[in-house]
Amino acid sequence: ARAEVEAAVARQRSEAEAEVARVRGEVEAAAAVEHREMQDAILAAQREIDRSDLEAAEAAVRATDRREAAAAESTVRAAESVLGREAASTRSAAMPQPPMPMPP
């Protein structure tokens, strides 16, 4: 009878160990899937951050380009104005002046 009990206990222990191994395998597989999903989420978030950083950098470059273009346009307008005044002054100086009337 003792041998039968020991055999039954050994059989139950073996079945329990097999069940523990099966559950451990399922848990490890689920953990691996969850880990991959987490890594994918992290990579997606990093790509989003990188895209946002790139968009912000592009916006900054566009803003700088607009400011530089506006400054260049302002410089051109100022130069045209100065050249226009100089041309008017030169034309005025080149025109013959009427004789000054003699005082009586």
Side-chain angles (χ1 to χ4, degrees), residues 41-57:
I42 289 169
L43 290 174
Q46 186 61 51
R47 282 192 298 272
E48 184 64 29
I49 290 168
D50 292 346
R51 183 171 52 245
S52 294
D53 289 349
L54 178 60
E55 289 171 356

Side-chain angles (χ1 to χ4, degrees), residues 2-81:
R2 181 179 177 113
E4 289 176 12
V5 170
E6 288 176 357
V9 167
R11 208 172 31 254
Q12 287 179 347
R13 177 175 288 142
S14 177
E15 290 172 0
E17 288 172 352
E19 180 66 12
V20 166
R22 184 188 67 77
V23 170
R24 181 178 290 132
E26 289 176 3
V27 168
E28 288 173 353
V33 167
E34 189 173 312
H35 179 73
R36 278 193 301 274
E37 290 172 350
M38 188 182 345
Q39 290 288 44
D40 290 346
I42 289 169
L43 290 174
Q46 186 61 51
R47 282 192 298 272
E48 184 64 29
I49 290 168
D50 292 346
R51 183 171 52 245
S52 294
D53 289 349
L54 178 60
E55 289 171 356
E58 288 172 343
V61 167
R62 285 191 301 273
T64 298
D65 289 347
R66 284 192 299 273
R67 283 192 301 274
E68 289 174 354
E73 188 175 323
S74 175
T75 300
V76 167
R77 280 195 305 270
E80 288 172 342
S81 175

